[in-house]
Amino acid sequence: MKHILEILDERRQAARLGGGQRRIDAQHKRGKLTARERIELLLDHGSFEEFDMFVQHRCVDFGMDQGEKIPGDGVVVGWGTINGRVVYVFAKDFTVLGGSLSETHAQKITKIQDMALRNRAPIIGLFDAGGARIQEGVAALGGYGEVFQRNVLASGVIPQISVIMGPCAGGDVYSPAMTDFIFMVKDTSYMFVTGPDVVKTVTNETVTAEELGGASVHATKSSIADKAYDNDLQALLQMRRLIDFLPASNTDEVPEWPTFDDCDRYDMSLNTIIPDNPNKPYDMKELITKVVDEGDFFEIQEAHAKNIVVGFGRLDGRTVGIVGNQPMVLAGVLDSDASRKAARFVRFCDAFNIPIVTFVDVPGFLPGTAQEYGGLIKHGAKLLFAYAEATVPKVTVITRKAFGGAYDVMASKHLRGDINYAWPTAQIAVMGAKGAVEIIFRQEMGDPEKIAERTKEYEDRFLSPFVAAERGYIDEVIQPFGTRKRVARALAMLRHKKLENPWKKHDNIPL
Amino acid sequence: MRPKLGKALDARARFSYNPPIQIPLVRTGAQMFKKILIANRGEIACRVIKTARKMGIKTVAVYSDADKDALHVDMADEAVHIGAPPAAESYLIIDKIIDACKKTGAEAVHPGYGFLSERAAFAEALKANGITFIGPNVGAIEAMGDKIESKKFANAAKVSTVPGFLGVIETPEEAVKIADGIGYPVILKASAGGGGKGMRIAHSREEVAEGFARAKSEAKSSFGDDRVFVEKFIVNPRHIEIQVLGDKHGNVIYLGERECSIQRRNQKVIEEAPSPLLDEATRKKMGEQAVALAKAVNYDSAGTVEFVAGQDKSFYFLEMNTRLQVEHPVTELITGIDLVEQMIRVAAGEPLAIKQEDVKLNGWAIESRIYAEDPTRNFLPSTGRLVKYRPPAEGRWDSITVRNDTGVFEGGEISIYYDPMIAKLVTHAGDRLVAIDAQARALDAFVIDGIRHNIPFLSSLMQHPRWRSGNLSTGFIAEEYPNGFAPLVAQGAVALRMAAVAAYVDNVYNQRKRRISNQMKQQKPVKFHDERTVALGRVQYQIELDESEGALLVRFVEGGQTHRLETDWIPGQPVWNGLIDGEGHSVQIRDIPNGFLISHAGVTVEARTFTRREAEIYNLMPEKKPADTSKSLLCPMPGLVKAIYVELGQELKAGDPLAMVEAMKMENVLRAERDVTVRTIKCKEGDSLAVDAVIMEFV
């Protein structure tokens, strides 16, 4: 018996070494960690339970039956806890056949995916791999398909998070693409469908892997990545922080912890955040961090479409999703990128019962051929659609401009906004005074004095929250300094909100 | 659901400044003002309003467009708008101030310092309109306003003056002859001068001859007045000034001295009272001479007689300032006399109720001027919104007094139009070193976000051994910081304290994580290691934590020492105030991803807290180098491009001027940091630039 126990120990030890010390060192030399090291950092100490440690591939082609077979087959899977809450994990092991995906490798992943979905807990995938195992051919492709299918079924049921910590190309990219969030590590990770060599052959374009699909490209330009981190450790510790914000599934409540921040806290400095000059910007993130608990804000897509800010915070210790127009960038205008970014975030929150707090200062949609040719109508509609279909508590605060169609889009009362507040500085109108007067009083354009008078008239009439408040489009005009208190109270009041959309197979959001 | 707070360690009772000694009220026929106007802005306007309010006098503020939401406007009973932001279009226009008085019925005007405070024409105009000037009579302002005139008065009053020649010097030969008589080194100065312009030091006859012509032409171009005089140059001088106080009944007393030797380019940075140089006899001598001078001009308000002092306690009259000084609080704290109150009383005609023998100097007071300027960028001004502004609590604990004279508030704006001073932080204690340590702690607790400020520099000064020893001279900053200010690096006890506080904060966060909802039931609560590793930058400390009677014990494995931390700090508070081994400390905490930005004792460092295993991994992570910005010249502050000195393709040596940017009326020349060749120029003269905008790029 004792001997048998020792054999288990030996086999485990061998399996844990993955591709061996030489490959582990090579991995470290690149500034990367091994799959097991990553899992160790991601999960609570000692909480990881590994499954399928001894799985081996079954391929016999192209010499794959020759030589030593390494247990684990390029992926480490299992479950553990993050601050006591269950999560499922798979981590590609670059030291074993470059982490390439075989039939058995895929089976390990799908096993964990099935468990996560069945048991309603988040799943986190750590990617660092060379794509499909070419020697296996279609068996590997089939494996991918199995993984994809499960990603889709789990979507909107449990949070799915992908962290790209090395190469991720070809078939490997589509599983992360279907998860809720993708995070990357700067300099050591890249993601693309076809690599630089193929690009060169097909389009004659010379490009490096970093330029084609590096972390900074995806976090800023393509919006594929929700954030890029400096290194593996930082990324993994931030994943722990993110999980603290997320419910385990779509039937679970948002996590809650004791807050040190008084919900009745006033912040007098908010009374001066709106500049006197309506053309001067201010930082919406200052408002956000002064409203949420302890200023703790987990921003999503910080570097992309900066004209809108989205992310997670807490009020009274419970998670909220925050969306805010950012006057510092493009005056906070809605363009295609901003609309898509916010729409996806709103839908995530709605899927997972996370209340949405919206701070509005939007001058409208961005005009121009670039936007119109780029499909602004349909992209803008995504955000409109997302807000309109959302049934979670929606609290909106209009701080300054809420002009035109963008007013409707930004969680207005008309899209079932539960509580819509406006600051006294709010201006709810079809457009700014200048533009409006130029249209209404076109025949008086030659007379600057009259136009100035008309402009003043328009400003007095519409550039305030009161016309909207008179109609009930604003529930209450509030003092800026009390914003935290009012929003927190509104959310507490909406805690047991029950609202259902008509039954449908699924909606048809303008993709 | 809110966790219980720990016991409060320091009572945060709000404090209103009360002089420690009571001045007897003298009943006279004089009628006290019912309403006064303060012809100033910022902290000094607020300061005057506080005293007026205490005396039951209504106050009127004046403000420019840029100040319409300013604190002084908020504090005053009434406020009158007087024009556009530039001072020349508002605060400096005499008629507008007089109109404001008439409109509001203000009977008197306190001018503060700067602006119109020393303009005889202003005092005269007020008089003509039947409004009292809370300051000296016109004759005294005029007599002391001119350097040569004031020296003549000083000589007549037997005040010790710098050996020199007061007459107008016509030729270089004459200047050399006079210099020979005085003895070298000598200094050539513009009669109408100030701010170092038109000044020249000469160590020999040749230098006098050469310097004379240049000083004269500089004087002409700077002040439109080419009169130049010669006097002895004091080596290693100290700046010591005597506060005097007079009334309209011929009484004048002195209230001890202030030393203001810590200056940066003639701008005072730190002031103290008393001076570590003076003894009782010298103090008396200086005080009596100052009084004699004040009496000679019938001085009838608060004023300051400035002296330059040698290290041998010799002293020479420099000039007299006929107004309230910026640094007056240090005198107030050691004498217990409210100078603004005295100015108002004597202006109303009351005789001084304080006799010279009533004036006792008690303890030591230190004042730091907190400026909106970036010490790491050669003290360039910084403007913008005060996203956070949390000065330390004012009040008196255990014989230590903290006072903060300020004119700004959280959410306010530092504009480009006025002096970049944000606040004057003053501490008082029984002796100098205790006052300095109290100042250091108050600086540690002073939170300013949104703009750059000089607190790290002030903190560094507070630790400087030469400053602490009191061995000062006006060259102190130039000598001790010859290459400018480089941020301090965490070391020694400071580093250990920062690491301990990081461990404390991390522990509070971890405790909370243990209480998140929906944890898995079939397992013990998540174990967080009591063994932690704190990284301050790349330096790591192995730490073990233990709790005992509401305190956290932090043991440093390497040195073996254990520190006891007690505090009522909770997450979200920007300052960790607490006791470390029974000693009070303040440490600032700002959250950054996976760590904290910790500021303490002039040091700011990124702190990260890890388990041992995480720390091991952390050491494997490659260090990310910050992006190379040396290939471009970035605008260091928001401002206007006044000049571009270079052309495309020009090759430059390190130190060559590249461009001039004007901000806050300061013209700042930007120079090449290394040898470069200009590749592109991204802006032109007259452009208005944001901070970090690219001005030009190099090859």
Side-chain angles (χ1 to χ4, degrees):
Chain A
M1 176 71 185
K2 206 172 163 214
H3 174 64
I4 297 170
L5 298 188
E6 276 166 10
I7 288 176
L8 172 62
D9 258 357
E10 275 167 28
R11 288 197 60 164
R12 275 183 173 172
Q13 259 166 33
R16 281 186 187 131
L17 264 181
Q21 194 58 46
R22 196 174 54 81
R23 290 202 175 86
I24 291 173
D25 292 344
Q27 186 82 346
H28 286 169
K29 212 176 225 158
R30 289 188 204 105
K32 300 199 295 184
L33 301 174
T34 66
R36 283 185 179 78
E37 285 167 341
R38 285 168 176 163
I39 290 172
E40 187 189 354
L41 294 173
L42 176 67
L43 301 178
D44 293 336
H45 177 73
S47 74
F48 180 56
E49 186 170 338
E50 183 173 345
F51 294 145
D52 297 343
M53 186 191 271
F54 306 116
V55 163
Q56 296 180 350
H57 70 78
R58 294 189 285 265
C59 180
V60 291
D61 296 317
F62 303 105
M64 286 297 284
D65 52 343
Q66 312 287 310
E68 192 194 6
K69 275 193 183 176
I70 300 170
D73 204 24
V75 63
V76 180
V77 305
W79 71 281
T81 60
I82 290 180
N83 292 324
R85 298 166 70 222
V86 175
V87 293
Y88 293 85
V89 189
F90 63 90
K92 304 264 184 173
D93 188 348
F94 196 77
T95 67
V96 180
L97 297 164
S100 59
L101 184 130
S102 67
E103 187 184 7
T104 47
H105 174 127
Q107 280 164 355
K108 283 180 73 173
I109 296 174
T110 55
K111 185 193 233 180
I112 284 296
Q113 285 182 304
D114 289 340
M115 288 179 80
L117 180 59
R118 197 161 54 234
N119 304 323
R120 296 292 193 266
I123 183 165
I124 302 172
L126 310 178
F127 292 82
D128 180 5
R133 195 162 311 153
I134 301 164
Q135 296 90 333
E136 287 202 8
V138 74
L141 292 184
Y144 274 130
E146 298 285 334
V147 173
F148 299 158
Q149 179 64 58
R150 281 161 181 80
N151 282 132
V152 173
L153 293 180
S155 180
V157 182
I158 52 170
Q160 303 182 81
I161 297 170
S162 306
V163 193
I164 316 300
M165 313 183 87
C168 181
D172 264 1
V173 301
Y174 283 109
S175 171
M178 285 185 293
T179 60
D180 297 301
F181 299 106
I182 299 178
F183 298 94
M184 293 180 76
V185 179
K186 286 179 197 163
D187 302 336
T188 46
S189 76
Y190 54 84
M191 246 185 129
F192 35 66
V193 178
T194 42
D197 296 343
V198 181
V199 169
K200 176 85 184 144
T201 325
V202 177
T203 69
N204 217 9
E205 218 179 337
T206 309
V207 67
T208 65
E210 180 66 25
E211 286 164 354
L212 188 60
S216 56
V217 170
H218 286 315
T220 55
K221 283 200 185 118
S222 75
S223 86
I224 300 298
D226 290 287
K227 182 151 175 81
Y229 294 107
D230 279 351
N231 55 50
D232 281 15
L233 177 64
Q234 197 190 36
L236 294 164
L237 294 180
Q238 285 295 303
M239 289 308 102
R240 290 180 61 90
R241 180 172 164 232
L242 176 61
I243 285 289
D244 286 347
F245 283 100
L246 304 182
S249 74
N250 65 342
T251 50
D252 234 23
E253 277 215 64
V254 295
E256 179 170 0
W257 69 22
T259 177
F260 293 91
D261 202 351
D262 193 341
C263 280
D264 294 344
R265 173 171 56 79
Y266 286 152
D267 197 317
M268 300 314 288
S269 70
L270 294 181
N271 285 353
T272 53
I273 194 171
I274 305 291
D276 293 332
N277 180 346
N279 299 323
K280 246 188 97 180
Y282 62 93
D283 188 358
M284 189 57 90
K285 284 192 210 171
E286 181 187 339
L287 170 58
I288 293 169
T289 51
K290 283 181 172 177
V291 165
V292 298
D293 288 356
E294 299 153 26
D296 187 12
F297 180 55
F298 190 104
E299 191 172 349
I300 300 289
Q301 301 230 337
E302 194 180 336
H304 174 73
K306 292 179 182 176
N307 38 339
I308 203 157
V309 177
V310 302
F312 299 107
R314 291 186 186 83
L315 279 165
D316 204 13
R318 295 167 59 86
T319 306
V320 291
I322 310 255
V323 179
N325 307 109
Q326 173 58 289
M328 300 276 278
V329 182
L330 295 169
V333 75
L334 284 178
D335 57 7
S336 298
D337 285 349
S339 303
R340 266 201 317 256
K341 168 177 159 180
R344 183 162 169 77
F345 182 74
V346 166
R347 277 167 65 89
F348 177 84
C349 290
D350 186 48
F352 290 100
N353 309 316
I354 299 171
I356 300 162
V357 177
T358 308
F359 295 108
V360 183
D361 185 350
V362 63
F365 283 98
L366 184 62
T369 49
Q371 287 295 315
E372 298 291 356
Y373 294 177
L376 176 65
I377 295 170
K378 283 211 169 173
H379 295 306
K382 285 173 187 166
L383 182 55
L384 174 62
F385 198 110
Y387 266 124
E389 71 172 337
T391 56
V392 290
K394 292 183 280 193
V395 177
T396 305
V397 181
I398 300 176
T399 59
R400 191 166 63 176
K401 295 169 198 164
F403 287 169
Y407 152 72
D408 277 318
V409 169
M410 294 303 292
S412 67
K413 205 72 192 162
H414 323 290
L415 303 184
R416 299 188 295 181
D418 291 295
I419 302 294
N420 287 52
Y421 292 126
W423 285 4
T425 44
Q427 309 172 347
I428 301 151
V430 177
M431 58 176 73
K434 196 170 162 280
V437 167
E438 280 170 13
I439 295 167
I440 307 174
F441 301 104
R442 189 164 296 171
Q443 67 282 8
E444 294 175 15
M445 279 311 286
D447 186 345
E449 217 164 272
K450 238 177 186 169
I451 286 296
E453 198 181 301
R454 297 292 193 192
T455 308
K456 176 89 177 51
E457 217 172 284
Y458 190 91
E459 277 172 0
D460 291 348
R461 177 78 184 116
F462 289 112
L463 297 192
S464 86
F466 296 106
V467 175
E470 282 160 17
R471 292 182 174 271
Y473 295 171
I474 294 298
D475 295 301
E476 167 85 299
V477 181
I478 63 167
Q479 293 283 2
F481 70 81
T483 303
R484 171 175 163 83
K485 178 181 172 176
R486 302 300 281 259
V487 173
R489 255 178 69 87
L491 289 174
M493 181 265 281
L494 294 166
R495 178 93 173 251
H496 303 292
K497 177 184 175 185
K498 199 96 199 138
L499 178 65
E500 270 170 28
N501 291 335
W503 186 92
K504 55 181 97 171
K505 191 171 170 197
H506 60 69
D507 55 44
N508 189 17
I509 189 165
L511 289 175
Chain B
M1 110 195 224
R2 199 155 290 114
K4 249 177 74 188
L5 306 187
K7 70 176 165 97
L9 286 172
D10 51 355
R12 284 296 170 115
R14 294 306 295 172
F15 165 84
S16 64
Y17 174 64
N18 276 321
I21 69 161
Q22 284 300 314
I23 299 149
L25 210 69
V26 181
R27 296 273 164 221
T28 63
Q31 191 73 37
M32 184 41 69
F33 309 115
K34 291 195 181 58
K35 191 189 271 186
I36 63 171
L37 180 144
I38 297 98
N40 214 306
R41 62 175 304 283
E43 67 87 14
I44 194 61
C46 299
R47 161 76 191 87
V48 174
I49 291 169
K50 268 187 200 162
T51 288
R53 184 181 288 165
K54 185 183 77 182
M55 296 172 71
I57 301 170
K58 294 259 183 266
T59 52
V60 181
V62 290
Y63 64 95
S64 71
D65 291 334
D67 277 340
K68 102 183 140 45
D69 293 325
L71 189 61
H72 73 281
V73 174
D74 204 44
M75 283 174 69
D77 297 305
E78 287 171 75
V80 180
H81 174 247
I82 52 164
E89 294 168 39
S90 49
Y91 295 103
L92 288 172
I93 298 181
I94 293 174
D95 290 345
K96 289 198 173 178
I97 306 289
I98 288 172
D99 284 348
C101 288
K102 287 183 175 160
K103 209 157 113 187
T104 55
E107 302 153 76
V109 172
H110 196 297
Y113 52 72
F115 294 139
L116 296 170
S117 61
E118 289 178 288
R119 297 253 179 114
F122 180 53
E124 216 146 348
L126 288 174
K127 203 171 162 189
N129 283 279
I131 302 160
T132 309
F133 179 64
I134 302 174
N137 61 74
V138 177
I141 299 174
E142 280 174 341
M144 292 296 120
D146 183 280
K147 281 209 161 114
I148 291 180
E149 281 297 304
S150 69
K151 274 196 137 183
K152 285 181 180 160
F153 270 101
N155 277 335
K158 303 218 159 34
V159 174
S160 155
T161 53
V162 183
F165 181 72
L166 293 180
V168 177
I169 306 164
E170 297 294 344
T171 64
E173 292 73 34
E174 206 182 328
V176 169
K177 214 172 103 194
I178 294 162
D180 282 350
I182 297 168
Y184 293 91
V186 296
I187 184 162
L188 301 155
K189 276 190 192 171
S191 177
K197 277 193 182 127
M199 274 196 204
R200 235 157 251 291
I201 297 159
H203 295 87
S204 63
R205 291 178 153 200
E206 292 71 37
E207 284 181 24
V208 171
E210 188 205 325
F212 179 75
R214 296 196 20 210
K216 212 168 165 66
S217 79
E218 253 181 64
K220 177 87 182 162
S221 67
S222 298
F223 312 109
D225 176 350
D226 71 351
R227 286 178 300 159
V228 167
F229 64 96
V230 180
E231 64 182 26
K232 185 168 177 64
F233 178 66
I234 316 291
V235 182
N236 250 342
R238 300 169 74 129
H239 177 113
I240 297 177
E241 58 190 33
I242 301 284
Q243 176 72 48
V244 296
L245 190 57
D247 64 15
K248 292 186 197 299
H249 306 276
N251 303 306
V252 182
I253 59 172
Y254 66 93
L255 304 178
E257 79 284 5
R258 294 183 285 261
E259 173 151 9
C260 321
S261 296
I262 307 291
Q263 308 179 348
R264 204 184 63 81
R265 297 196 187 150
N266 296 316
Q267 187 189 56
K268 293 167 188 169
V269 177
I270 292 172
E271 299 103 343
E272 62 183 311
S275 157
L277 179 74
L278 296 199
D279 51 38
E280 207 42 63
T282 317
R283 176 173 299 125
K284 189 156 185 276
K285 227 158 69 187
M286 287 176 87
E288 283 168 356
Q289 288 193 8
V291 168
L293 175 65
K295 282 189 169 165
V297 294
N298 297 319
Y299 202 82
D300 53 354
S301 185
T304 298
V305 181
E306 294 192 345
F307 291 95
V308 56
Q311 299 292 343
D312 57 358
K313 299 191 181 111
S314 62
F315 60 90
Y316 310 97
F317 171 72
L318 216 52
E319 61 176 343
M320 179 168 185
N321 294 321
T322 58
R323 55 167 155 89
L324 188 67
Q325 295 275 93
V326 175
E327 58 273 21
H328 73 276
V330 290
T331 300
E332 294 187 324
L333 284 176
I334 62 160
T335 60
I337 294 167
D338 182 333
L339 285 168
V340 174
E341 179 186 338
Q342 294 304 313
M343 287 178 82
I344 295 172
R345 287 187 184 283
V346 296
E350 286 185 20
L352 276 182
I354 316 155
K355 303 268 169 294
Q356 188 62 57
E357 58 268 26
D358 299 334
V359 179
K360 297 274 180 311
L361 304 189
N362 159 35
W364 216 284
I366 309 282
E367 173 179 287
S368 294
R369 296 191 187 187
I370 295 169
Y371 285 106
E373 56 185 25
D374 186 348
T376 59
R377 283 180 158 190
N378 202 20
F379 296 89
L380 290 172
S382 172
T383 59
R385 176 174 161 84
L386 285 166
V387 173
K388 275 212 175 112
Y389 176 76
R390 312 262 169 96
E394 292 182 85
R396 194 167 174 190
W397 304 269
D398 309 330
S399 78
I400 287 170
T401 302
V402 178
R403 167 175 164 180
N404 185 47
D405 281 18
T406 189
V408 300
F409 58 95
E410 182 165 301
E413 187 97 9
I414 303 294
S415 79
I416 58 168
Y417 299 104
Y418 312 108
D419 184 84
M421 193 169 76
I422 305 172
K424 301 179 320 203
L425 181 64
V426 196
T427 49
H428 177 266
D431 67 55
R432 189 169 184 270
L433 283 180
V434 178
I436 290 175
D437 286 339
Q439 178 72 222
R441 177 156 186 216
L443 287 167
D444 280 346
F446 208 128
V447 179
I448 302 176
D449 278 347
I451 55 152
R452 310 286 303 187
H453 53 79
N454 67 337
I455 289 177
F457 176 60
L458 295 169
S459 296
S460 141
L461 277 169
M462 287 306 139
Q463 296 168 56
H464 200 291
R466 187 175 148 198
W467 153 252
R468 293 177 74 92
S469 76
N471 173 22
L472 312 180
S473 88
T474 53
F476 182 93
I477 288 177
E479 290 157 20
E480 301 298 329
Y481 298 88
N483 303 315
F485 171 69
L488 299 179
V489 179
Q491 51 190 356
V494 169
L496 292 186
R497 278 202 294 274
M498 293 173 98
V501 169
Y504 185 100
V505 171
D506 170 61
N507 189 50
V508 173
Y509 283 137
N510 281 337
Q511 300 273 4
R512 173 168 54 193
K513 285 177 190 161
R514 266 170 249 197
R515 294 172 62 182
I516 196 166
S517 59
N518 290 333
Q519 295 189 43
M520 197 172 74
K521 295 283 183 268
Q522 288 302 313
Q523 109 175 355
K524 285 184 197 157
V526 185
K527 168 107 179 94
F528 284 93
H529 281 265
D530 294 329
E531 292 185 346
R532 303 293 289 179
T533 298
V534 177
L536 296 181
R538 286 314 271 201
V539 185
Q540 293 181 8
Y541 302 88
Q542 314 294 326
I543 277 170
E544 288 168 12
L545 301 176
D546 202 357
E547 282 180 43
S548 130
E549 299 160 23
L552 186 72
L553 303 179
V554 177
R555 195 176 87 85
F556 286 85
V557 174
E558 200 170 324
Q561 70 277 44
T562 299
H563 298 287
R564 183 184 174 85
L565 275 67
E566 295 167 89
T567 179
D568 59 355
W569 178 86
I570 50 171
Q573 290 180 349
V575 184
W576 187 97
N577 280 311
L579 301 175
I580 301 179
D581 301 327
E583 200 178 279
H585 287 286
S586 298
V587 180
Q588 296 190 17
I589 315 276
R590 289 171 179 81
D591 282 346
I592 54 170
N594 303 325
F596 322 103
L597 195 65
I598 297 205
S599 304
H600 175 61
V603 184
T604 294
V605 67
E606 284 184 4
R608 295 204 152 75
T609 48
F610 296 122
T611 62
R612 294 273 194 275
R613 179 67 178 136
E614 285 164 356
E616 236 175 81
I617 300 274
Y618 178 63
N619 293 330
L620 289 176
M621 294 293 116
E623 211 168 338
K624 292 265 141 92
K625 289 194 182 61
D628 181 19
T629 54
S630 60
K631 290 220 156 141
S632 49
L633 174 69
L634 303 181
C635 188
M637 75 227 120
L640 188 74
V641 180
K642 293 287 277 189
I644 302 274
Y645 298 122
V646 296
E647 286 164 10
L648 286 184
Q650 194 174 336
E651 287 178 25
L652 300 158
K653 291 259 171 267
D656 284 351
L658 302 172
M660 179 164 72
V661 175
E662 187 190 73
M664 285 187 162
K665 293 182 289 175
M666 296 258 298
E667 292 183 342
N668 302 285
V669 175
L670 309 173
R671 292 169 191 281
E673 284 181 15
R674 57 188 178 88
D675 297 356
V676 291
T677 305
V678 180
R679 184 161 66 92
T680 56
I681 297 175
K682 295 277 194 185
C683 61
K684 57 185 189 308
E685 288 171 19
D687 282 0
S688 162
L689 297 183
V691 67
D692 285 340
V694 177
I695 296 175
M696 60 186 72
E697 290 170 323
F698 309 117
V699 176

